[in-house]
Amino acid sequence: MIRLLLKVLVLYTVLLSVCGEGEWNPIVKGQDVDFNFEEYSLQVETEGFGLLAMSWLDGRDPAYPVGSIYFSFANAFSVQYQIAYCTVGEPTFTLADSISSEKRTWTFTRDKDGLNVSSNGKDVLYLKFEEDCAEGWQYYWGLTPAVLNFESLDSATDRYRALEIAGSATEPEGEGNEGEDKGDKEDGDDDKEEGEDDNGGDDTEENEVRFHIRGPKPQYSVIGEGSSITCSVAAPDSVEDETFMMTINGDEWNGAALDERWAGAGFVFSTFDHENGTIETTIAGYLDNFIESDNMTEIRCYSKKYDGEISMTIELRDNHEGEGNEG
């Protein structure tokens, strides 16, 4: 009888956390909570320094990941962020006012085109999915989120609530979007080789193993510019993919034969353990500036474990091409 009453109490607590507009709710780490992201913005309140960490999932059973959001309040005026399945690395954006020990309210608004974030009523970040997210974003952020989960890593969030959306998640004017790298889409994204797609060969949302690759956006596909170079494979697994490999013009990213300049890109092998049971294995680096010989560089990434691969060719143009007569 006591166990039954406890179950009813837990269920009642969960139902209460499906909040109405304006009702603040304390977070419960690791708990899935229904949230209507189509009609409401998500407001969260943080205090001081620390980490905001949450995952958004769709409404299926079992729920499928839409994306995870991590904000690290490392210093007074800038925020490091990671948007899983969209950005690469930990770019930053700048705040107009200092992070202090006082509470700060963040508002997250998503529509089919993008994600807008404001802090204390001021827009600080806008990601337009099609332009700012990694290849394959549509298999995640293209889904409709319906479940919210504050992760156990979260050390800054106190409470959250729903706020009726006044408009779409449009790009903010003025401040914000000052990230150094919001996730470069690879060169030639709209000109893939025949048979190649965002999932490394299987154009279905149900594909469990997903390969992603990206290099410079068109505006950075220029001699003298630089860009991040990233490959990843995500799979429902409990361990990283130790067979995952990136080659640059046929040379392994961590091999002695790799060109000295590319070796200086600081490639790192890393993994991210999503709470839904998906392990994402990533190889990523940043080349400071392209030179003429980098044109037509082939980046190939493959997994023996999952028997798949994905590749791209970096096509560069001279930094004077397309310039007008401005004199």
Side-chain angles (χ1 to χ4, degrees), residues 281-301:
T281 305
T282 301
I283 301 172
Y286 189 93
L287 191 66
D288 288 330
N289 65 288
F290 293 115
I291 61 176
E292 187 175 353
S293 62
D294 293 324
N295 190 34
M296 304 307 292
T297 292
E298 181 190 44
I299 309 295
R300 175 175 172 259
C301 299

Side-chain angles (χ1 to χ4, degrees), residues 68-230:
S68 298
I69 298 173
Y70 304 95
F71 282 4
S72 177
F73 310 125
N75 59 58
F77 290 97
S78 65
V79 176
Q80 281 189 323
Y81 67 94
Q82 180 182 11
I83 312 295
Y85 307 118
C86 178
T87 62
V88 167
E90 295 182 349
T92 63
F93 61 79
T94 303
L95 299 172
D97 52 338
S98 171
I99 297 173
S100 67
S101 60
E102 297 179 357
K103 295 184 183 296
R104 178 176 290 271
T105 301
W106 303 85
T107 304
F108 298 84
T109 306
R110 176 207 173 274
D111 63 19
K112 62 181 180 63
D113 296 318
L115 174 68
N116 188 76
V117 183
S118 68
S119 175
N120 287 355
K122 296 180 179 180
D123 292 324
V124 293
L125 177 67
Y126 177 76
L127 295 174
K128 189 171 184 178
F129 297 140
E130 185 67 35
E131 297 179 3
D132 298 321
C133 286
E135 181 182 352
W137 66 267
Q138 64 269 31
Y139 298 105
Y140 300 93
W141 287 102
L143 301 174
T144 301
V147 175
L148 169 67
N149 185 302
F150 289 95
E151 300 183 10
S152 58
L153 297 172
D154 194 302
S155 60
T157 309
D158 292 328
R159 56 183 186 167
Y160 72 97
R161 68 176 177 177
L163 188 68
E164 188 172 3
I165 296 176
S168 61
T170 53
E171 186 169 359
E173 298 179 359
E175 291 187 83
N177 276 355
E178 299 184 15
E180 298 169 359
D181 178 4
K182 294 180 294 180
D184 297 334
K185 197 189 307 181
E186 82 280 12
D187 181 41
D189 179 54
D190 296 323
D191 189 22
K192 301 182 181 67
E193 296 181 8
E194 184 177 354
E196 185 183 58
D197 57 55
D198 293 345
N199 261 346
D202 188 349
D203 190 18
T204 62
E205 291 188 12
E206 289 74 20
N207 186 20
E208 292 183 332
V209 178
R210 304 179 188 277
F211 289 86
H212 297 159
I213 189 169
R214 61 176 163 183
K217 288 182 178 179
Q219 63 265 39
Y220 301 117
S221 299
V222 178
I223 295 171
E225 293 285 352
S227 174
S228 58
I229 308 293
T230 304

Side-chain angles (χ1 to χ4, degrees), residues 23-42:
E23 297 178 4
W24 284 104
N25 299 268
I27 70 166
V28 179
K29 296 179 183 179
Q31 181 184 87
D32 289 345
V33 178
D34 291 338
F35 193 95
N36 188 345
F37 287 93
E38 293 184 285
E39 296 184 9
Y40 295 95
S41 296
L42 170 66

Side-chain angles (χ1 to χ4, degrees), residues 45-60:
E45 192 175 74
T46 61
E47 184 171 2
F49 298 94
L51 178 70
L52 184 161
M54 61 180 171
S55 292
W56 297 4
L57 305 97
D58 71 0
R60 287 180 287 185

